[in-house]
């Protein structure tokens, strides 16, 4: 296994799918050798592509609230690794953003995740990450999230915290009332040990 610094340099110069990225390549990953919490989400949005800071947008603010993490904790690479399914902004579609580039996770995830401690807590956000990382997921994203207790204590499954998902949140009030308190407690106890 190469060094983490070498790997990050390699990732940040990746241009494998540049022909498909109308806004250009800008891989956005946060990684530290001690990070025991890893957030596997979808792909950066336009604002994050511009700032270069992961989850630096309304979705990120919602996510930090969901997880009960301060900005300091969230942006400490020795606490939290951020490894989206696609590292570059895929551009916008008719409704929302395009899907993460399919080349990215098969190309990079194994070597990136190999840099992290073996004992870790995975936070799996959205359908693309569920498809790759939740072995016995249910028929729908909602059903999988509703069965969150099946995946604890090593995985936490969440919908995407985008403001566009407000409708999902209001249709599924159990998520705020039951799931999020359990998620926060799990993260708190994991980081305390
Ligand atoms: S999305 Fe991933 S594979 Fe594609 S150019 Fe960016 S880093 Fe490389």
């Amino acid at each position: 296994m190469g060094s983490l610094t070498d790997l990050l340099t390699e990732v940040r110069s990746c241009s494998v799918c540049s022909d498909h990225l109308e806004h250009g390549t800008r891989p956005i990953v946060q990684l530290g050798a001690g990070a025991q919490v890893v957030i596997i989400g979808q792909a950066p949005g336009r604002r994050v592509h511009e700032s270069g800071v992961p989850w630096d947008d309304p979705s990120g603010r919602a996510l930090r609230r969901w997880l009960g993490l301060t900005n300091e904790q969230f942006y400490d690479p020795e606490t939290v690794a951020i490894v989206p399914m696609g590292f570059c902004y895929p551009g916008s579609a008719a409704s929302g953003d395009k899907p993460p580039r399919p080349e990215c996770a098969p190309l990079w995830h194994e070597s990136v995740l190999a840099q992290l401690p073996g004992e870790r807590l995975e936070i799996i956000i959205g359908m693309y990450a569920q498809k790759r990382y939740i072995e016995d997921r249910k028929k729908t994203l909602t059903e999988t999230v509703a069965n969150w207790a099946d995946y604890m204590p090593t995985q936490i499954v969440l919908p995407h915290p985008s403001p566009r998902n407000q409708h999902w949140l209001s249709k599924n009030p159990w998520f705020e009332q039951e799931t999020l308190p359990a998620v926060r407690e799990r993260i708190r106890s994991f980081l305390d040990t």
Side-chain angles (χ1 to χ4, degrees), residues 2 24 61 72 77 86 95 109 121 135 145 148 157-158 170:
R61 281 194 288 283
E72 289 69 26
S95 161
H109 274 208
L121 178 59
E135 277 179 19
V145 175
W148 52 270
V157 282
L158 298 174
S170 46

Side-chain angles (χ1 to χ4, degrees), residues 5-183:
T5 311
D6 288 350
L7 178 64
L8 276 175
T9 304
E10 212 184 323
V11 166
R12 287 177 179 144
S13 60
C14 178
S15 59
V16 161
C17 30
S18 56
D19 287 351
H20 304 281
L21 297 169
E22 59 189 295
H23 299 274
T25 57
R26 188 175 197 187
I28 295 173
V29 177
Q30 174 172 299
L31 198 60
Q36 285 188 292
V37 175
V38 56
I39 297 174
I40 304 178
Q42 193 154 310
R46 184 182 53 78
R47 286 172 63 156
V48 170
H49 175 73
E50 284 163 7
S51 73
V53 180
W55 293 100
D56 175 29
D57 56 10
S59 298
R61 281 194 288 283
L63 180 62
R64 286 185 281 283
R65 183 181 71 78
W66 285 6
L67 302 179
L69 292 176
T70 63
N71 279 7
E72 289 69 26
Q73 290 170 312
F74 189 89
Y75 287 116
D76 175 2
E78 291 299 325
T79 302
V80 174
I82 300 176
V83 184
M85 290 297 293
F87 296 166
C88 296
Y89 172 45
S92 61
S95 161
D97 286 346
K98 290 179 183 167
R101 286 305 311 170
E103 298 88 339
C104 200
L107 180 63
W108 289 115
H109 274 208
E110 193 179 341
S111 48
V112 167
L113 295 175
Q115 301 287 337
L116 302 176
E119 190 188 331
R120 57 180 182 252
L121 178 59
E122 292 181 346
I123 299 175
I124 307 294
I125 300 175
M127 183 51 83
Y128 296 99
Q130 273 192 13
K131 281 185 176 162
R132 187 172 175 92
Y133 288 105
I134 301 292
E135 277 179 19
D136 57 340
R137 66 196 164 86
K138 317 295 183 223
K139 283 203 191 86
T140 65
L141 177 141
T142 301
E143 269 184 68
T144 305
V145 175
N147 286 279
W148 52 270
D150 291 0
Y151 310 104
M152 293 262 197
T154 53
Q155 292 182 308
I156 288 173
V157 282
L158 298 174
H160 199 282
S162 162
R164 288 174 182 273
N165 264 351
Q166 208 50 48
H167 181 61
W168 187 94
L169 293 171
S170 46
K171 264 179 60 187
N172 298 287
W174 48 266
F175 179 72
E176 279 275 358
Q177 291 159 7
E178 295 161 30
T179 312
L180 288 184
V183 163

